[in-house]
Amino acid sequence: MKKVGKGEVVVLLDEKWKRCIIHTDDEPRKIKGFGVVYPKKLVGLSYGEKTTLGTKQIWVLPPSAYDRWGSLKRKAQIILPKDAAQIIVNCSIVPGNIVVEGGIGSGSLTTILAQIVAPNGRVISYEKRRDFMDFAIKNLVNVGVADYVKVREQDITSGIDEREVDAVVLDIPDPWGAVEHSWKALKVGGSIASYSPLISQVEKTVNELKKYPFIEIKTIETLQREMVVSKYGTRPSFDMLGHTGYLTFARKVLKT
Ligand SMILES: C[S@@+](CC[C@H](N)C(=O)[O-])C[C@H]1O[C@@H](n2cnc3c(N)ncnc32)[C@H](O)[C@@H]1O
């Protein structure tokens, strides 16, 4: 049975599936929902065994990509896995890719993308607000993906410095302002994705995309419904996230 070692990064998962990332070398600290955690005391525990932490029962596990995402602190509205999955597939983002992102927010999408492009690819994230940038960087360092991300304190609607990038992903209030820059930054065949909560934003973005050589322009919305399985039967959950955002995609060519 593999045991937790010194200097390892682990995830603590409670019975309500709340999780946090811990570096076993860290000093004791209070973690919301977990109380005071003594990271060094985790060394020697068996991965996967249930153990007591204060008044809680928890599992100690090696962190998965989802654990890293689920351990982030949140500040701005984040992109959820159901939408991130669509971005990854529709933009064909694979290991080794260079992906430009604007803006970083809490670093939620960044964390998912960084784990896809790692170890040789990079996410280059444009963020115009220093407070969000600092907050997101702390998050990225804590969950262990900072090595795969370069953060620029820059307004993405003023320009993108990179060229020949595989994808540009926009989660800003005025994505149409970055469409021309995205076309210039993308390699031929590369994709742009834009996430917007409002239809009016989608319309402005699509109209802007149509001014440049972009093809395969499409907008989708992803709805996700959880199923509850009990001894009495199976039904959809009463709770459903009504709306997150619309996703618009397009692909760069030289001429339409
Ligand atoms: C909704 S948040 C992004 C959330 C992020 N996608 C996530 O999953 O955590 C929007 C971010 O874009 C930043 N932003 C807005 N306009 C921008 C621009 N023109 N250039 C760069 N960043 C911008 C905001 O400061 C904010 O941090």
Side-chain angles (χ1 to χ4, degrees):
M1 233 178 305
K2 191 167 183 285
K3 296 200 186 275
V4 177
K6 283 183 188 167
E8 283 184 11
V9 180
V10 300
V11 63
L12 309 184
L13 183 66
D14 76 8
E15 288 172 308
K16 291 186 173 161
W17 303 359
K18 188 175 166 50
R19 68 202 78 214
C20 70
I21 295 264
I22 299 286
H23 300 242
T24 59
D25 280 350
D26 280 358
E27 293 306 314
R29 65 187 165 109
K30 197 169 178 190
I31 298 176
K32 205 174 160 200
F34 287 87
V36 179
V37 177
Y38 296 81
K40 288 177 183 131
K41 287 192 182 172
L42 300 171
V43 174
L45 293 176
S46 293
Y47 279 112
E49 254 184 36
K50 214 169 185 184
T51 176
T52 306
L53 182 79
T55 55
K56 273 190 165 194
Q57 291 288 294
I58 56 149
W59 293 271
V60 183
L61 293 168
S64 66
Y66 189 90
D67 290 329
R68 291 182 201 274
W69 172 81
S71 302
L72 293 168
K73 290 192 177 139
R74 299 176 183 193
K75 197 167 170 172
Q77 193 183 343
I78 62 164
I79 290 187
L80 295 176
K82 76 176 178 71
D83 295 310
Q86 290 292 346
I87 292 170
I88 290 161
V89 175
N90 280 280
C91 295
S92 296
I93 297 172
V94 293
N97 275 181
I98 303 296
V99 179
V100 167
E101 175 194 45
I104 201 166
S106 305
S108 164
L109 180 67
T110 324
T111 296
I112 296 173
L113 293 176
Q115 293 179 92
I116 301 284
V117 302
N120 297 321
R122 290 292 177 270
V123 178
I124 299 151
S125 194
Y126 283 65
E127 173 55 56
K128 69 176 183 184
R129 277 181 53 176
R130 171 59 71 96
D131 56 338
F132 274 115
M133 202 176 97
D134 292 344
F135 184 84
I137 290 173
K138 266 193 197 152
N139 255 341
L140 302 179
V141 169
N142 186 45
V143 302
V145 300
D147 285 351
Y148 315 114
V149 183
K150 180 176 172 186
V151 187
R152 288 182 177 277
E153 191 181 358
Q154 245 170 278
D155 181 340
I156 200 164
T157 63
S158 301
I160 298 175
D161 298 337
E162 291 72 25
R163 290 292 176 268
E164 293 293 308
V165 307
D166 297 286
V168 177
V169 185
L170 303 170
D171 179 10
I172 57 172
D174 50 353
W176 51 89
V179 164
E180 182 181 358
H181 307 310
S182 300
W183 188 88
K184 287 182 182 158
L186 282 166
K187 68 180 189 187
V188 169
S191 296
I192 179 172
S194 173
Y195 174 91
S196 295
L198 303 175
I199 282 286
S200 51
Q201 293 170 301
V202 171
E203 287 167 348
K204 283 185 90 165
T205 307
V206 170
N207 287 335
E208 191 66 15
L209 285 166
K210 287 179 177 169
K211 293 181 189 165
Y212 299 91
F214 279 110
I215 57 168
E216 293 192 274
I217 301 174
K218 71 171 178 188
T219 299
I220 63 165
E221 181 183 16
T222 305
L223 303 176
Q224 179 176 301
R225 203 159 66 141
E226 190 175 344
M227 294 294 140
V228 179
V229 180
S230 75
K231 62 182 176 185
Y232 305 109
T234 302
R235 59 162 174 79
S237 164
F238 294 131
D239 302 318
M240 185 177 164
L241 198 55
H243 175 63
T244 54
Y246 304 102
L247 281 165
T248 297
F249 300 102
R251 213 163 165 214
K252 171 175 170 167
V253 290
L254 294 180
K255 204 165 183 279
T256 46

